[in-house]
Amino acid sequence: MEEFTCIICPNGCKIKVEKIEDGFKVEGNICKRGYEFAINEMTNPKRSLCTTVKTSYKDFPRLPVKTDREIPKDMIFKVMEEINKINLTHMVKSNDIIIENVLGTGANIVSTCDMELIFKEE
Amino acid sequence: MEFYDVVVLGAGPAGLAAGLSSYEEGANTLIIEREKYPGGILKQCIHDGFGLVEFKERLTGPEYAERFIKMVRNKKIPILTSTFVTSIKKEEEIFILSVVSKDGIIKVGAKAIILANGCRERTSKQIGIHGTRPSGVMTAGLAQYFVNIMGYLPCKKCIILGSGDIGLIMARRLTLEGAKVLGVYEVKNSPSGLTRNIVQCLNDFSIPLYLSKTITKISGDDRVEGVEICDVDENMKPIKGTEKFIECDGVILSVGLIPENEIAESLNVEIDNATKGPYVDQNFMTKVDGIFSCGNALHVNDLVDYVTESGRLAGKSAAKYASSKYKRALNPIEIPLNKFLYAVPQYIDINSDNNKVVMYLRSRDIVKNVKVIIKSRNEILYEKRYTHLNPPEMERIVFDFNRSSLNDYSIKILMQEG
């Protein structure tokens, strides 16, 4: 049996999950989302990752990026290593792909910033 | 001199929303921003979790800001960037702003002003830490700027003092970038940040959280070499004999935010000691006619979505006020400060044609199974049962009032068991 604090909503339910013969026994959740969260957390915990990549622009040395879907929690540092290899030399918009299918996780590393919008003079 | 109906100070989430709604209400609107780019602190908040209320999506800070910057640009609402307001004076019925920009010093006139200039972090000087002043002591927001905007890692082995959300977010961020975060130390006996941040920023990375502990001394000449940690008693006073030295090269402070009110105070806007921001009515007008406040300049929010909402409401009210001034009749809202940290607004203008109140409040303690009741004389305006109220998690409630029944009766907020 494992215990998790649910991160879906501010209630922060303490949920107990136990693997039983034909599924899972879940206790302590007050809603269905907590039920699903706890089972995922026990079987395949996933997280989204937000970080930055280096750019060659002097006035904008770091571009914020994210994974466009959740990746397995234990892949986070390996994915960081891949992201840290990048040096971006062209302008990008939000959602432009920086790394496709990073380490075969199915997730792309995408930009979360429209550089032109930032650079445009008011 | 250029004249506007409404001038908004700040182009962060509050200011952008205020500028948009003021413009949409028909007011000739100007937004003034001291930084080079609009977006405010969201530019450096690269983590996700923004916009769940506003857009029903999980956005990063830059993405959330971008949506509003695009809306403002599409409407061609002017934003003066790299521009700083040095003073505001009221001459007859017009506010005259002295503004410093790359074009020199100019004057701008406005019928109404919206203060959307956010909040500032408390620093080591404000929490009275003893010892030398080496480099490596910084606020969480500054560390965030170094890492996310500049691309510098400001420390390799650090401790974080205070369990506010930015501190928790930075614990994760510094760990991802290769720094070792030795622990988060909180002087209170419960964390200040949201539970979900404790889980996904600390527990996920096995960063320990120590409660009822604080830093009593920082050591180091040029650079931080270590800190002295102490247990604290129930009055948060360090307990002698519990001192422990921890070697580190950085101390990150996440010890609270305070609304920025230098300009408000220069205009004699009265400040609420509970929120540290101005007193306002349901239209977000401060006690000075024509001056509005919203976002984190009004009170420190935990969700940007509510910053946007207050900006939007303030913008609409300011535009209305600029088009036709009116006389107010302010009734105070009574709140038991032993049960609540604060509630905003603090006043109801019973002359206003707006009888819908959007109220933000925080309980003083962690409480379970309580009813929050809003009452006027014997009439119950609002009632809601909560299974759980937690000071770091702000509650938003909406209620209507009937002007005629309110004359001479103040509105009371109550918290009851049940």
Side-chain angles (χ1 to χ4, degrees), chain A residues 6 11 19 21 23-24 32 35 42 53 63 65 70 78 86 89 91 106 112 114-116:
Chain A
C6 183
N11 282 331
K19 177 91 182 84
E21 213 158 290
F24 296 92
K32 219 180 117 207
Y35 179 87
M42 175 132 141
V53 298
L63 171 79
V65 295
E70 292 187 324
K78 288 186 192 112
I86 302 283
T89 53
M91 300 276 272
T112 61
D114 184 339
M115 286 167 76
E116 272 175 34

Side-chain angles (χ1 to χ4, degrees), chain B residues 279-296:
Chain B
Y279 288 111
V280 290
D281 63 19
Q282 77 272 33
N283 299 312
F284 294 84
M285 204 192 300
T286 67
K287 289 181 88 175
V288 177
D289 287 349
I291 305 275
F292 296 77
S293 175
C294 58
N296 283 350

Side-chain angles (χ1 to χ4, degrees), chain A residues 5 7-12 41 47-52 59 61-62 64 66 73 76-77 80 84 94-95 111-114 117-122, chain B residues 36-38 43 46-48 58 60 62-63 66 69-70 73 79 81 102 147-151 173 175-177 195-196 199-200 204-205 387-388 393:
Chain A
T5 303
I7 58 174
I8 306 285
C9 88
N11 282 331
E41 204 60 8
R47 294 289 185 267
S48 51
L49 172 65
C50 297
T51 181
T52 57
D59 290 338
R62 285 293 185 283
K66 67 174 182 185
K73 205 166 105 174
I76 286 177
F77 283 98
M80 279 299 290
N84 288 342
S94 289
N95 287 319
S111 163
T112 61
C113 179
D114 184 339
L117 190 81
I118 290 286
F119 278 125
K120 206 182 128 195
E121 285 286 315
E122 290 294 337
Chain B
K36 213 169 161 186
Y37 311 115
K43 297 193 291 291
I46 62 158
H47 54 280
D48 65 3
R58 201 185 166 93
T60 66
E63 290 172 317
E66 188 178 310
I69 296 168
K70 278 189 171 153
R73 292 238 171 103
I79 308 181
T81 52
K102 49 186 181 291
V147 177
N148 294 347
I149 305 286
M150 310 274 292
R173 187 75 190 109
T175 306
L176 282 174
E177 291 296 348
T195 312
R196 56 173 76 141
V199 174
Q200 59 188 353
D204 271 8
F205 297 93
T387 54
H388 186 98
E393 281 148 20

Side-chain angles (χ1 to χ4, degrees), chain B residues 118-325:
Chain B
C119 59
R120 305 290 174 258
E121 293 178 281
R122 289 173 76 202
T123 64
S124 60
K125 292 182 189 70
Q126 283 159 296
I127 53 169
I129 298 178
H130 296 279
T132 50
R133 295 182 181 184
S135 67
V137 183
M138 73 200 82
T139 61
L142 181 62
Q144 191 177 45
Y145 184 85
F146 278 141
V147 177
N148 294 347
I149 305 286
M150 310 274 292
Y152 292 143
L153 192 61
C155 52
K156 294 198 176 72
K157 197 167 125 186
C158 68
I159 73 139
I160 295 180
L161 180 65
S163 58
D165 285 305
I166 322 166
L168 301 177
I169 299 279
M170 280 317 292
R172 171 175 66 182
R173 187 75 190 109
L174 288 162
T175 306
L176 282 174
E177 291 296 348
K180 175 84 188 152
V181 178
L182 299 171
V184 175
Y185 292 83
E186 170 60 56
V187 69
K188 288 183 289 183
N189 57 15
S190 65
S192 318
L194 303 172
T195 312
R196 56 173 76 141
N197 283 337
I198 304 281
V199 174
Q200 59 188 353
C201 297
L202 300 188
N203 301 359
D204 271 8
F205 297 93
S206 310
I207 301 167
L209 170 65
Y210 302 102
L211 299 173
S212 301
K213 282 184 197 293
T214 194
I215 296 180
T216 38
K217 201 169 166 185
I218 294 175
S219 312
D221 294 326
D222 296 334
R223 180 76 199 189
V224 175
E225 286 161 11
V227 293
E228 185 187 83
I229 301 283
C230 251
D231 293 353
V232 298
D233 63 18
E234 59 273 20
N235 301 317
M236 295 197 260
K237 293 271 176 279
I239 302 169
K240 273 220 158 76
T242 62
E243 299 86 355
K244 206 177 120 194
F245 184 79
I246 296 173
E247 206 183 288
C248 61
D249 69 353
V251 178
I252 313 278
L253 302 170
S254 177
V255 288
L257 302 164
I258 304 170
E260 167 61 45
N261 278 303
E262 212 175 310
I263 287 180
E265 281 169 4
S266 77
L267 288 160
N268 296 322
V269 168
E270 253 183 81
I271 303 293
D272 181 351
N273 202 29
T275 57
K276 311 279 182 224
Y279 288 111
V280 290
D281 63 19
Q282 77 272 33
N283 299 312
F284 294 84
M285 204 192 300
T286 67
K287 289 181 88 175
V288 177
D289 287 349
I291 305 275
F292 296 77
S293 175
C294 58
N296 283 350
L298 177 59
H299 66 108
V300 176
N301 290 253
D302 38 71
L303 297 183
V304 70
D305 308 71
Y306 297 129
V307 167
T308 295
E309 182 186 41
S310 71
R312 189 179 288 136
L313 294 168
K316 191 177 169 188
S317 317
K320 271 186 168 170
Y321 177 85
S323 76
S324 66
K325 286 178 185 166

Side-chain angles (χ1 to χ4, degrees), chain A residues 86-100:
Chain A
I86 302 283
N87 184 14
L88 189 80
T89 53
H90 62 283
M91 300 276 272
V92 292
K93 286 192 163 51
S94 289
N95 287 319
D96 283 358
I97 294 177
I98 309 296
I99 305 176
E100 212 175 317

